[in-house]
């Protein structure tokens, strides 16, 4: 059994490095961090340096060479991600969409998604989803507004956000009809394209799922808030 109270600070640093190695891999395996982001290589870099420091008490070249190599690979990964991101350009519309709808998606992944869709100027009366019909496209309303109706009654209004996110990945029937109410600027991408990207890119699938679930949750919270709000009674008139 290891007596931690007798270990030197450098030895403790080595143990901390091992914990970081295991923790980083566990977070990657459970989807808490992305393999194509800065966090994973940064954690591995710190872990390798800590383990390397821990070898000072019982130095051996094979173990040191392994940590030096791991640190070099991590630095290369960080630099590669930086250079990759620095070459990506986004329009003002795309930046707004990412900031509002896809804040945690990596830039390369977001660029890949945006390249697969189109921006459209939608006129009033354009139907984005029809109640009871399969959702074939995911939309993001940047400017304008749309009315949400279920059973013929208007239940909500969308001014900025996703439309169709609840059912597009399964091409399931829409629970409501969403109709553009005023001239609007909308980004749209087909469900077929999204499913193809998700099947070929696990990071994309995980990131998109998180953001669509977040959008759905926010809409449900807002709907519950409106339903629970006390009905306003008309002022009494003599």
């Amino acid at each position: 059994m290891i007596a931690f109270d007798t270990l030197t600070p450098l030895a403790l640093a080595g143990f901390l490095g091992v914990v970081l190695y295991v923790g980083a891999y566990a977070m990657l395996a459970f989807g808490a961090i992305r393999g194509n982001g800065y966090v994973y290589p940064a954690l591995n870099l710190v872990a390798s340096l800590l383990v390397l420091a821990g070898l000072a008490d019982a130095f051996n070249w094979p173990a040191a060479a392994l940590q030096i190599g791991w640190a070099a690979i991590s630095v290369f990964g960080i630099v590669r991600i930086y250079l990759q991101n620095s070459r990506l350009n986004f329009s003002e519309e795309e930046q707004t969409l990412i900031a509002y709808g896809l804040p945690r998606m990596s830039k390369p992944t977001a660029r890949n998604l945006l390249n697969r869709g189109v921006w459209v100027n939608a006129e009033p009366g354009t139907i984005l989803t029809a109640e009871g019909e399969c959702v074939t496209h995911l939309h993001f309303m940047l400017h304008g507004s749309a009315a949400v109706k279920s059973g013929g009654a208007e239940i909500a209004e969308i001014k900025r956000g996703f439309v169709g996110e609840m059912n597009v990945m399964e091409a399931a029937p829409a629970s409501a009809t969403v109709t553009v109410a005023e001239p609007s600027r909308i980004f749209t991408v087909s469900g077929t394209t999204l499913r193809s990207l998700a099947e070929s890119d696990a990071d994309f699938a995980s990131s998109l799922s998180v953001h669509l679930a977040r959008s759905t949750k926010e809409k449900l919270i807002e709907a519950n808030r409106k339903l629970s709000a006390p009905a306003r009674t008309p002022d009494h008139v003599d």
Side-chain angles (χ1 to χ4, degrees):
M1 184 175 179
I2 299 174
F4 285 95
D5 57 340
T6 64
L7 294 176
T8 66
L10 289 177
L12 288 172
F15 275 107
L16 178 58
V18 172
V19 171
L20 278 180
Y21 269 135
V22 176
Y25 186 73
M27 287 189 288
L28 180 67
F30 287 104
I33 58 176
R34 302 188 309 270
N36 60 351
Y38 285 108
V39 176
Y40 185 63
L43 287 174
N44 278 290
L45 174 60
V46 174
S48 64
L49 295 177
L50 287 172
V51 173
L52 188 60
L55 291 174
D57 286 343
F59 188 82
N60 72 83
W61 273 111
L66 176 63
Q67 300 311 315
I68 292 171
W70 202 247
I73 292 172
S74 299
V75 170
F76 173 80
I78 292 171
V79 172
R80 183 186 65 83
I81 293 169
Y82 172 77
L83 293 176
Q84 186 180 47
N85 288 345
S86 65
R87 289 195 294 265
L88 296 175
N89 295 313
F90 296 91
S91 67
E92 185 176 341
E93 288 182 330
E94 290 172 336
Q95 290 177 28
T96 303
L97 188 159
I98 292 171
Y100 188 89
L102 307 168
R104 294 180 58 191
M105 184 173 283
S106 69
K107 287 185 177 181
T109 302
R111 179 71 274 164
N112 191 24
L113 171 61
L114 292 169
N115 287 344
R116 304 300 183 95
V118 295
W119 288 95
V120 297
N121 294 314
E123 296 299 322
T126 301
I127 296 176
L128 302 180
T129 64
E131 186 174 1
E133 296 184 11
C134 293
V135 177
T136 60
H137 287 73
L138 175 68
H139 310 280
F140 183 87
M141 178 161 290
L142 184 67
H143 301 300
S145 65
V148 183
K149 293 184 178 181
S150 180
E154 185 167 334
I155 58 174
E157 180 184 37
I158 298 174
K159 286 188 173 294
R160 175 172 289 176
F162 286 110
V163 176
E165 74 275 20
M166 296 183 190
N167 301 306
V168 67
M169 296 304 290
E170 294 79 25
S175 58
T177 296
V178 180
T179 307
V180 175
E182 60 180 300
S184 302
R185 184 67 169 164
I186 298 173
F187 174 80
T188 182
V189 59
S190 74
T192 301
T193 296
L194 293 176
R195 289 188 291 273
S196 176
L197 285 172
E199 289 173 1
S200 62
D201 187 341
D203 283 334
F204 171 82
S206 175
S207 182
L208 183 66
S209 176
V210 167
H211 287 94
L212 295 187
R214 169 177 167 265
S215 176
T216 299
K217 179 181 178 181
E218 289 175 350
K219 286 182 178 179
L220 291 175
I221 291 174
E222 178 63 17
N224 289 334
R225 185 189 66 79
K226 289 183 177 180
L227 289 173
S228 61
R232 184 178 178 182
T233 56
D235 295 334
H236 177 71
V237 179
D238 292 330

